[in-house]
Amino acid sequence: PVVAAACVLPADADAALLDGIRDSKLMNEAQREEVFERLVNAAGVDYAVSILDHKRIDEINILASTMEAMSLAVKGLSSKPDYVLIDGNRCPPDLGIPAEAVVKGDLKCTNIAAASIIAKVTRDRMMHAYHKRWPQYDFATHKGYGTAKHMAAIHREGPCPIHRRTFAPLKHMDLISENEF
């Protein structure tokens, strides 16, 4: 799945709320979980999450799905922001709000880092749930990324219902019809 989050931290956020918020890729799972819980339970933090499944990704492609998920997350905020900072090198075309793409934004901006943590923990929790349903793919370990172990499981087991059919390694495999799952 593609998971995107938008997060607006209160202007008067104290050090206790902001402590530990940084690029989610530089944090371990326990650190991300702790900061996630603090963010989603703090008064004054406005956040929204958007999730697009494998079918939508296959329908419109991964980049368009990412843009759509970001746009939906921003539109899901309880208050419309005046300006949006987007992690990456492009902004969704349909935000309807002035926006700026910030390359490596999760290293440079606390709000982007907070949104990144919320999105990462949400997606990781989904992957843990998928692991319980399809343990042979070991989603809990690689979180669905195309690691060698993940690719070996796909070649051994074939794809499961959540695998994107447009994912390059799957395009060339003989696949079971989606209706057979």
Side-chain angles (χ1 to χ4, degrees):
V2 169
V3 178
C7 184
V8 179
L9 298 170
D12 62 349
D14 62 13
L17 175 62
L18 301 176
D19 184 51
I21 298 175
R22 62 184 187 278
D23 182 347
S24 65
K25 296 179 291 301
L26 301 177
M27 303 168 74
N28 64 39
E29 188 170 4
Q31 291 169 328
R32 286 190 300 268
E33 285 283 344
E34 188 272 323
V35 173
F36 173 91
E37 289 300 328
R38 192 167 0 109
L39 286 168
V40 301
N41 291 303
V45 173
D46 187 7
Y47 75 95
V49 176
S50 175
I51 301 167
L52 297 183
D53 68 11
H54 65 285
K55 291 179 183 178
R56 183 64 175 156
I57 299 166
D58 280 343
E59 182 182 326
I60 64 173
N61 78 47
I62 190 71
L63 177 60
S65 296
T66 301
M67 293 292 120
E68 183 175 305
M70 287 191 286
S71 182
L72 290 169
V74 170
K75 291 173 183 176
L77 292 168
S78 61
S79 300
K80 183 177 178 179
D82 296 321
Y83 194 79
V84 178
L85 297 173
I86 300 286
D87 187 25
N89 62 3
R90 62 184 74 188
C91 295
D94 64 341
L95 275 178
I97 301 168
E100 175 184 347
V102 182
V103 175
K104 298 187 183 209
D106 44 6
L107 286 170
K108 300 173 182 174
C109 175
T110 305
N111 281 347
I112 291 176
S116 173
I117 292 164
I118 292 169
K120 173 86 171 126
V121 170
T122 300
R123 188 178 189 283
D124 285 356
R125 288 178 177 183
M126 291 175 66
M127 299 313 293
H128 280 283
Y130 293 154
H131 177 81
K132 289 178 183 172
R133 183 151 183 205
W134 299 288
Q136 66 272 32
Y137 296 97
D138 198 26
F139 288 124
T141 301
H142 57 70
K143 309 296 192 285
Y145 294 104
T147 64
K149 188 173 185 179
H150 185 191
M151 297 313 304
I154 292 171
H155 286 287
R156 183 180 64 249
E157 305 287 335
C160 75
I162 64 162
H163 281 111
R164 293 186 287 117
R165 298 318 195 247
T166 54
F167 180 51
L170 295 184
K171 282 189 211 180
H172 306 294
M173 293 177 70
D174 291 329
L175 300 178
I176 299 170
S177 165
E178 188 86 22
N179 297 330
E180 294 182 38
F181 287 113

